[in-house]
Amino acid sequence: STWGNILDRYPMCENSCGTCGGDGDALEQEDDVQDQELLEAPTSISMESMKSCLNKQLESRHSRASLERSNIIFSGRAAPSIQCKMHELQKEMAKDSVNKHLSSRSTKQQLQESHILAQGDAAPSIQGVMLQLEKELIRSEVGRKLSDRSPKPDLQQRGILIHGDVSPCLQSHVVKLEKEIQKDKLKANIEKRPTLQHVQDQNIVHAGPGGVLQATHEELSKQMRVNALNRALEHRPSLEALQTRHII
Protein backbone atom coordinates (compact mmCIF):
# COMPACT_ATOMS: atom_id res chain seq x y z
CA SER A 1 0.00 0.00 0.00
CA THR A 2 0.97 3.65 -0.23
CA TRP A 3 1.42 3.89 3.53
CA GLY A 4 3.66 0.81 3.46
CA ASN A 5 5.86 2.23 0.66
CA ILE A 6 6.30 5.49 2.52
CA LEU A 7 7.26 3.74 5.74
CA ASP A 8 9.75 1.53 3.83
CA ARG A 9 11.36 4.52 2.15
CA TYR A 10 11.50 6.63 5.27
CA PRO A 11 12.06 4.37 8.28
CA MET A 12 11.63 5.89 11.73
CA CYS A 13 14.72 6.57 13.78
CA GLU A 14 15.31 4.37 16.79
CA ASN A 15 16.25 7.39 18.92
CA SER A 16 13.67 8.81 21.20
CA CYS A 17 14.13 12.22 19.69
CA GLY A 18 12.73 11.04 16.32
CA THR A 19 15.77 12.14 14.25
CA CYS A 20 18.35 10.06 12.45
CA GLY A 21 22.09 10.42 12.11
CA GLY A 22 22.19 11.47 8.37
CA ASP A 23 22.84 14.82 6.82
CA GLY A 24 20.46 17.59 7.92
CA ASP A 25 19.77 19.11 4.49
CA ALA A 26 19.16 15.75 2.90
CA LEU A 27 16.81 14.93 5.78
CA GLU A 28 14.85 18.13 5.25
CA GLN A 29 14.48 17.42 1.53
CA GLU A 30 13.28 13.91 2.26
CA ASP A 31 10.80 15.28 4.81
CA ASP A 32 9.39 17.62 2.19
CA VAL A 33 8.90 14.74 -0.22
CA GLN A 34 7.29 12.69 2.54
CA ASP A 35 4.87 15.49 3.42
CA GLN A 36 3.92 15.92 -0.22
CA GLU A 37 3.17 12.20 -0.62
CA LEU A 38 1.21 12.21 2.62
CA LEU A 39 -0.93 15.06 1.30
CA GLU A 40 -1.62 13.35 -2.03
CA ALA A 41 -2.14 9.56 -2.09
CA PRO A 42 -2.91 8.65 1.56
CA THR A 43 -5.42 11.47 2.02
CA SER A 44 -7.66 10.40 -0.86
CA ILE A 45 -7.53 6.77 0.20
CA SER A 46 -8.32 7.52 3.84
CA MET A 47 -11.22 9.82 2.91
CA GLU A 48 -12.76 7.16 0.69
CA SER A 49 -12.44 4.52 3.39
CA MET A 50 -13.86 6.85 6.03
CA LYS A 51 -16.77 7.71 3.74
CA SER A 52 -17.52 4.04 3.07
CA CYS A 53 -17.30 3.18 6.77
CA LEU A 54 -19.54 6.10 7.68
CA ASN A 55 -22.14 5.09 5.11
CA LYS A 56 -22.20 1.54 6.45
CA GLN A 57 -22.66 2.79 10.01
CA LEU A 58 -25.45 5.15 8.93
CA GLU A 59 -27.21 2.31 7.11
CA SER A 60 -27.00 -0.01 10.11
CA ARG A 61 -27.86 2.51 12.79
CA HIS A 62 -31.09 2.02 14.84
CA SER A 63 -34.22 3.97 14.04
CA ARG A 64 -35.61 6.59 16.41
CA ALA A 65 -38.54 4.35 17.34
CA SER A 66 -36.13 1.52 18.23
CA LEU A 67 -34.05 3.86 20.39
CA GLU A 68 -37.23 5.08 22.13
CA ARG A 69 -38.32 1.50 22.84
CA SER A 70 -34.88 0.79 24.30
CA ASN A 71 -35.13 3.94 26.48
CA ILE A 72 -31.94 5.31 24.93
CA ILE A 73 -33.78 8.43 23.84
CA PHE A 74 -37.22 9.53 25.02
CA SER A 75 -40.28 10.33 23.01
CA GLY A 76 -41.40 13.89 22.63
CA ARG A 77 -40.18 17.06 20.99
CA ALA A 78 -37.63 17.99 23.60
CA ALA A 79 -34.09 18.52 22.42
CA PRO A 80 -31.74 15.55 23.04
CA SER A 81 -29.54 17.79 25.18
CA ILE A 82 -32.30 18.26 27.78
CA GLN A 83 -34.05 14.88 27.53
CA CYS A 84 -31.95 13.42 30.34
CA LYS A 85 -32.82 16.31 32.68
CA MET A 86 -36.46 16.04 31.67
CA HIS A 87 -36.46 12.31 32.40
CA GLU A 88 -34.89 12.90 35.82
CA LEU A 89 -37.55 15.53 36.56
CA GLN A 90 -40.32 13.11 35.61
CA LYS A 91 -38.83 10.46 37.89
CA GLU A 92 -38.73 12.92 40.80
CA MET A 93 -42.34 13.96 40.14
CA ALA A 94 -43.43 10.31 40.05
CA LYS A 95 -41.54 9.66 43.30
CA ASP A 96 -43.22 12.63 44.98
CA SER A 97 -46.63 11.42 43.77
CA VAL A 98 -46.02 7.90 45.12
CA ASN A 99 -44.88 9.32 48.48
CA LYS A 100 -48.00 11.50 48.63
CA HIS A 101 -50.29 8.53 47.96
CA LEU A 102 -48.44 6.37 50.47
CA SER A 103 -48.80 9.02 53.17
CA SER A 104 -52.56 9.33 52.54
CA ARG A 105 -53.35 5.65 52.00
CA SER A 106 -55.97 3.97 54.18
CA THR A 107 -55.01 1.93 57.20
CA LYS A 108 -55.53 -1.81 57.43
CA GLN A 109 -58.48 -1.28 59.80
CA GLN A 110 -60.17 1.06 57.31
CA LEU A 111 -59.64 -1.39 54.45
CA GLN A 112 -61.16 -4.17 56.53
CA GLU A 113 -64.17 -2.03 57.43
CA SER A 114 -64.64 -1.26 53.72
CA HIS A 115 -64.47 -5.03 52.96
CA ILE A 116 -61.40 -4.53 50.76
CA LEU A 117 -59.28 -6.68 53.07
CA ALA A 118 -60.73 -9.67 54.85
CA GLN A 119 -61.20 -9.55 58.62
CA GLY A 120 -58.64 -11.28 60.77
CA ASP A 121 -54.90 -11.52 60.96
CA ALA A 122 -54.43 -13.74 57.92
CA ALA A 123 -51.44 -12.99 55.73
CA PRO A 124 -52.23 -11.06 52.53
CA SER A 125 -50.86 -13.99 50.49
CA ILE A 126 -53.69 -16.28 51.68
CA GLN A 127 -56.49 -13.73 51.98
CA GLY A 128 -57.59 -14.42 48.40
CA VAL A 129 -57.92 -18.14 49.14
CA MET A 130 -59.79 -17.37 52.36
CA LEU A 131 -62.25 -15.06 50.57
CA GLN A 132 -62.82 -17.70 47.91
CA LEU A 133 -63.53 -20.27 50.62
CA GLU A 134 -66.03 -17.93 52.29
CA LYS A 135 -67.79 -17.41 48.94
CA GLU A 136 -68.02 -21.18 48.45
CA LEU A 137 -69.49 -21.58 51.94
CA ILE A 138 -72.08 -18.87 51.26
CA ARG A 139 -72.93 -20.42 47.88
CA SER A 140 -73.37 -23.81 49.55
CA GLU A 141 -75.62 -22.33 52.26
CA VAL A 142 -77.75 -20.51 49.69
CA GLY A 143 -78.08 -23.71 47.66
CA ARG A 144 -79.19 -25.62 50.75
CA LYS A 145 -81.82 -23.01 51.62
CA LEU A 146 -83.11 -22.95 48.05
CA SER A 147 -83.52 -26.70 48.10
CA ASP A 148 -85.48 -26.45 51.40
CA ARG A 149 -87.73 -23.57 50.36
CA SER A 150 -91.50 -24.01 50.40
CA PRO A 151 -93.30 -24.79 47.13
CA LYS A 152 -95.30 -22.12 45.34
CA PRO A 153 -98.79 -23.43 46.30
CA ASP A 154 -97.80 -23.41 49.96
CA LEU A 155 -96.64 -19.80 49.71
CA GLN A 156 -99.91 -18.85 48.03
CA GLN A 157 -101.91 -20.60 50.75
CA ARG A 158 -99.99 -18.77 53.46
CA GLY A 159 -100.55 -15.42 51.75
CA ILE A 160 -96.90 -14.84 50.90
CA LEU A 161 -97.54 -15.04 47.17
CA ILE A 162 -100.82 -13.31 46.42
CA HIS A 163 -101.00 -13.72 42.66
CA GLY A 164 -99.84 -17.01 41.28
CA ASP A 165 -99.73 -15.82 37.69
CA VAL A 166 -97.56 -12.78 38.45
CA SER A 167 -93.79 -12.87 38.58
CA PRO A 168 -92.45 -12.86 42.18
CA CYS A 169 -90.40 -9.75 41.46
CA LEU A 170 -93.69 -7.91 40.66
CA GLN A 171 -95.75 -9.27 43.58
CA SER A 172 -95.00 -6.34 45.88
CA HIS A 173 -95.87 -3.82 43.15
CA VAL A 174 -99.18 -5.56 42.44
CA VAL A 175 -100.09 -5.62 46.15
CA LYS A 176 -99.19 -1.96 46.50
CA LEU A 177 -101.32 -1.11 43.46
CA GLU A 178 -104.29 -3.01 44.86
CA LYS A 179 -103.97 -1.15 48.16
CA GLU A 180 -103.95 2.16 46.33
CA ILE A 181 -107.07 1.15 44.39
CA GLN A 182 -108.87 0.16 47.60
CA LYS A 183 -107.82 3.41 49.22
CA ASP A 184 -109.22 5.41 46.30
CA LYS A 185 -112.50 3.49 46.43
CA LEU A 186 -112.82 4.03 50.17
CA LYS A 187 -112.10 7.72 49.80
CA ALA A 188 -114.77 8.00 47.10
CA ASN A 189 -117.35 6.17 49.27
CA ILE A 190 -116.55 8.42 52.25
CA GLU A 191 -117.07 11.50 50.11
CA LYS A 192 -120.44 10.14 48.91
CA ARG A 193 -121.76 8.97 52.30
CA PRO A 194 -124.68 10.95 53.85
CA THR A 195 -124.10 13.34 56.70
CA LEU A 196 -124.73 12.46 60.34
CA GLN A 197 -127.75 14.75 60.49
CA HIS A 198 -129.26 13.03 57.47
CA VAL A 199 -128.97 9.52 58.91
CA GLN A 200 -130.27 10.76 62.30
CA ASP A 201 -133.29 12.23 60.58
CA GLN A 202 -133.96 8.82 59.00
CA ASN A 203 -133.51 7.09 62.41
CA ILE A 204 -130.57 5.12 61.06
CA VAL A 205 -128.31 6.62 63.71
CA HIS A 206 -129.65 8.12 66.92
CA ALA A 207 -128.30 11.17 68.65
CA GLY A 208 -125.66 10.46 71.24
CA PRO A 209 -122.09 9.24 71.31
CA GLY A 210 -120.97 7.88 67.98
CA GLY A 211 -118.50 5.31 66.88
CA VAL A 212 -118.10 2.08 68.77
CA LEU A 213 -120.26 3.37 71.71
CA GLN A 214 -123.36 3.93 69.57
CA ALA A 215 -124.73 0.38 69.92
CA THR A 216 -123.97 0.26 73.65
CA HIS A 217 -125.70 3.59 74.14
CA GLU A 218 -128.80 2.42 72.27
CA GLU A 219 -128.93 -0.85 74.21
CA LEU A 220 -128.64 1.02 77.51
CA SER A 221 -131.39 3.47 76.54
CA LYS A 222 -133.66 0.59 75.57
CA GLN A 223 -133.02 -1.17 78.87
CA MET A 224 -133.79 1.99 80.80
CA ARG A 225 -137.12 2.38 78.99
CA VAL A 226 -137.98 -1.24 79.72
CA ASN A 227 -137.21 -0.75 83.42
CA ALA A 228 -139.29 2.41 83.58
CA LEU A 229 -142.19 0.64 81.87
CA ASN A 230 -141.99 -2.30 84.30
CA ARG A 231 -142.09 0.04 87.32
CA ALA A 232 -145.08 1.87 85.86
CA LEU A 233 -146.90 -1.42 85.27
CA GLU A 234 -146.20 -2.55 88.85
CA HIS A 235 -147.73 0.61 90.32
CA ARG A 236 -150.72 0.98 88.01
CA PRO A 237 -154.15 0.86 89.66
CA SER A 238 -156.30 -2.21 89.45
CA LEU A 239 -159.44 -2.59 87.30
CA GLU A 240 -161.76 -2.16 90.32
CA ALA A 241 -160.01 1.04 91.36
CA LEU A 242 -160.32 2.45 87.90
CA GLN A 243 -164.03 1.54 87.79
CA THR A 244 -164.62 3.05 91.23
CA ARG A 245 -162.98 6.24 90.07
CA HIS A 246 -165.19 6.11 87.00
CA ILE A 247 -162.07 6.11 84.73
CA ILE A 248 -163.28 3.05 82.91
Side-chain angles (χ1 to χ4, degrees), residues 55-97:
N55 288 332
K56 289 181 180 180
Q57 290 181 357
L58 288 175
E59 291 174 357
S60 61
R61 68 176 179 174
H62 297 282
S63 63
R64 182 182 181 88
S66 176
L67 295 175
E68 288 178 356
R69 287 195 299 269
S70 302
N71 291 326
I72 297 174
I73 62 174
F74 305 102
S75 60
R77 297 184 178 180
S81 59
I82 64 171
Q83 282 191 354
C84 183
K85 295 293 183 182
M86 184 179 69
H87 183 61
E88 290 294 332
L89 179 60
Q90 290 176 350
K91 288 174 65 177
E92 290 297 327
M93 292 174 63
K95 188 185 297 183
D96 292 340
S97 178

Side-chain angles (χ1 to χ4, degrees), residues 25-165:
D25 294 335
L27 181 61
E28 289 180 359
Q29 292 177 359
E30 292 176 356
D31 288 341
D32 293 337
V33 174
Q34 182 180 4
D35 292 340
Q36 185 65 27
E37 293 180 354
L38 286 172
L39 290 173
E40 293 177 357
T43 302
S44 60
I45 295 175
S46 61
M47 289 295 293
E48 289 296 331
S49 62
M50 290 175 61
K51 182 177 179 181
S52 176
C53 182
L54 182 59
N55 288 332
K56 289 181 180 180
Q57 290 181 357
L58 288 175
E59 291 174 357
S60 61
R61 68 176 179 174
H62 297 282
S63 63
R64 182 182 181 88
S66 176
L67 295 175
E68 288 178 356
R69 287 195 299 269
S70 302
N71 291 326
I72 297 174
I73 62 174
F74 305 102
S75 60
R77 297 184 178 180
S81 59
I82 64 171
Q83 282 191 354
C84 183
K85 295 293 183 182
M86 184 179 69
H87 183 61
E88 290 294 332
L89 179 60
Q90 290 176 350
K91 288 174 65 177
E92 290 297 327
M93 292 174 63
K95 188 185 297 183
D96 292 340
S97 178
V98 170
N99 290 333
K100 180 180 178 181
H101 284 88
L102 287 175
S103 61
S104 60
R105 66 178 178 177
S106 304
T107 61
K108 182 179 179 180
Q109 181 67 26
Q110 292 174 338
L111 294 176
Q112 288 178 345
E113 292 176 355
S114 302
H115 302 288
I116 299 174
L117 288 179
Q119 298 290 338
D121 298 327
S125 59
I126 64 172
Q127 283 189 354
V129 179
M130 186 174 66
L131 289 175
Q132 187 66 27
L133 179 60
E134 290 179 354
K135 288 182 180 179
E136 292 296 332
L137 291 173
I138 293 173
R139 187 179 293 111
S140 177
E141 182 67 17
V142 170
R144 185 185 64 80
K145 289 184 177 180
L146 287 176
S147 62
D148 295 339
R149 66 179 176 177
S150 302
K152 187 175 181 179
D154 186 21
L155 296 176
Q156 291 177 346
Q157 186 177 0
R158 292 161 58 186
I160 298 174
L161 288 179
I162 307 300
H163 302 277
D165 54 346

Side-chain angles (χ1 to χ4, degrees), residues 178-194:
E178 289 180 346
K179 287 183 178 180
E180 292 295 330
I181 294 174
Q182 292 177 358
K183 187 185 297 184
D184 292 340
K185 289 182 178 180
L186 181 60
K187 185 177 180 180
N189 291 331
I190 290 175
E191 290 176 352
K192 293 178 181 179
R193 69 177 179 177

